[in-house]
Amino acid sequence: MRGSLLGRRTAARLRQVAISAVKSAKIKLLLCCCVLFAFFATRTAPFMGWTDHAASLNSFSGSRRGYALLINTWKRNDLLKQSISHYTSCRGLDSIRIVWSEPNPPSDNLVKFLTQVVQSNSRDGRQIELKFDIHEEDSLNNRFKELKDLKTDAVLSIDDDIIFPCSTVEFAFSVWRTAPNAMVGWVPRMHWIEKLNGNAGRYMYGGWWSVWWTGTYSMVLSKAAFFHKKYLSLYTNQMPASIREYVAKNRNCEDIAMSFLVANATGAPPIWVKGKIFEIGSTGISSLGGHIERRSECVNMFVAEYGRMPLVSTSLKAVDSRNIWTGVSGIA
């Protein structure tokens, strides 16, 4: 009886030791993974264009450290009012530039409303600048016309029907400040080379479901993205004129053209930031038939103009870890 009891106690003790050993091994494995991740991150940081945060801020000498909201609109004053009413409450906003390509100038009532909104949110010594950039020609290239009087390096390009919580915008802005030469945005897209016999060697444009399926992307759309103001000058003055002409004629692909331009200048991929998008407008041209084919034509035309494919694919995504470690799923 005593032998049986002693055997059971011994077996229980051995199980306890085994469990402790397994737990210890798991902890050691986790620590090793953390060390390897830190080592990999520090070694790959220069390659990906990520820099020390404090060092990157030094590049802002002579410029304000906030960002300019560059908002594109077309005959949707209600959406414009809603968007600006929201973004003026965001902490980092320095100025608002409205890309106006309509045949008639903005109405006095619209200007008065938006001015009041901006003034009501200009507090604690912060004065938000509001300006309409009025263009005589209706062209998609207008959204990237050079703005020589911008006082910030950072530009947040947004369509008038897209809303992000201010916390999401501020997180993306902090990511951009670590890599100010990159495009940092919320709407990823991709490209790949067609391998079918009839289209072998032709590039294809991939929408969201292609990104979701493959886990990779090579573009972030300018409908919701941060980039450096210098790219407005490059788009207007140095990008091949044939690309601007193609965009104007086909009324499409200005966002792909900007992605090509940045990738060609940096040789690096963009940065996709996780965030929840609230679309307050109607469905756009992406819902029309033949959209993917037309976008693929743009990709191939731009490749021909550059003489190569400058886009760089990646699978990295920036996520606000404050919402992960605390167990809060919320909007990131």
Side-chain angles (χ1 to χ4, degrees):
M1 187 72 164
R2 289 181 178 177
S4 176
L5 179 60
L6 181 60
R8 287 197 298 271
R9 288 179 177 176
T10 302
R13 178 59 179 169
L14 289 174
R15 283 196 299 270
Q16 184 177 1
V17 171
I19 292 172
S20 298
V22 171
K23 289 182 177 179
S24 178
K26 288 182 176 180
I27 292 174
K28 290 179 179 179
L29 179 61
L30 179 60
L31 289 174
C32 288
C33 290
C34 291
V35 171
L36 288 173
F37 177 79
F39 174 77
F40 177 77
T42 56
R43 293 297 297 271
T44 57
F47 174 76
M48 294 306 301
W50 292 75
T51 59
D52 178 72
H53 179 69
S56 68
L57 290 180
N58 293 332
S59 65
F60 285 77
S61 58
S63 297
R64 297 180 187 174
R65 293 185 178 180
Y67 56 87
L69 182 71
L70 184 62
I71 186 165
N72 193 55
T73 188
W74 175 261
K75 295 186 177 181
R76 300 194 294 190
N77 289 352
D78 289 341
L79 298 184
L80 182 63
K81 291 178 180 179
Q82 188 174 344
S83 293
I84 291 183
S85 295
H86 167 70
Y87 287 113
T88 50
S89 65
C90 295
R91 182 166 48 89
L93 181 64
D94 180 83
S95 62
I96 300 171
R97 306 297 291 262
I98 301 172
V99 181
W100 191 269
S101 301
E102 296 183 21
N104 298 318
S107 66
D108 292 339
N109 288 336
L110 176 63
V111 174
K112 181 179 179 181
F113 177 88
L114 295 180
T115 300
Q116 290 176 343
V117 168
V118 168
Q119 290 177 347
S120 66
N121 283 282
S122 297
R123 52 182 178 271
D124 299 328
R126 183 183 67 144
Q127 297 295 323
I128 301 173
E129 178 187 1
L130 171 67
K131 185 175 181 179
F132 285 83
D133 292 300
I134 300 177
H135 303 278
E136 296 181 359
E137 179 187 8
D138 174 21
S139 171
L140 290 179
N141 290 312
N142 290 343
R143 75 178 306 164
F144 299 136
K145 283 286 184 68
E146 181 181 12
L147 301 175
K148 295 183 178 180
D149 57 342
L150 281 182
K151 298 181 177 64
T152 62
D153 285 336
V155 173
L156 173 56
S157 176
I158 286 284
D159 280 357
D160 60 6
D161 60 349
I162 293 180
I163 295 288
F164 291 99
C166 288
S167 59
T168 300
V169 175
E170 294 303 325
F171 172 67
F173 182 42
S174 70
V175 172
W176 178 85
R177 286 185 296 181
T178 67
N181 289 323
M183 282 190 73
V184 176
W186 293 271
V187 186
R189 295 294 184 262
M190 66 173 296
H191 76 282
W192 73 88
I193 299 179
E194 182 62 67
K195 297 182 179 180
L196 296 179
N197 293 332
N199 294 313
R202 183 174 185 267
Y203 288 98
M204 298 297 295
Y205 172 88
W208 162 246
W209 290 112
S210 298
V211 174
W212 177 84
W213 181 258
T214 63
T216 63
Y217 65 98
S218 56
M219 296 172 271
V220 290
L221 299 187
S222 55
K223 66 189 291 183
F226 278 99
F227 54 78
H228 197 284
K229 67 179 180 182
K230 64 185 177 183
Y231 293 124
L232 297 177
S233 176
L234 291 177
Y235 189 99
T236 302
N237 303 311
Q238 297 188 32
M239 188 179 72
S242 56
I243 294 181
R244 290 192 300 273
E245 293 168 1
Y246 183 94
V247 168
K249 179 180 179 181
N250 293 276
R251 298 193 61 80
N252 203 339
C253 299
E254 83 287 356
D255 47 1
I256 298 178
M258 177 58 83
S259 289
F260 266 70
L261 183 148
V262 176
N264 185 65
T266 63
I271 301 173
W272 172 19
V273 178
K274 181 181 178 182
K276 192 168 185 63
I277 302 175
F278 295 93
E279 297 190 72
I280 58 177
S282 58
T283 305
I285 62 174
S286 60
S287 63
L288 301 178
H291 175 69
I292 294 297
E293 179 58 30
R294 285 191 292 272
R295 303 280 275 183
S296 296
E297 291 176 1
C298 293
V299 170
N300 285 278
M301 186 273 181
F302 298 166
V303 168
E305 292 300 313
Y306 278 96
R308 65 186 184 91
M309 167 52 80
L311 298 178
V312 180
S313 298
T314 182
S315 58
L316 299 182
K317 178 168 65 173
V319 179
D320 191 343
S321 61
R322 292 171 298 180
N323 292 334
I324 294 178
W325 297 113
T326 59
V328 178
S329 58
I331 298 173

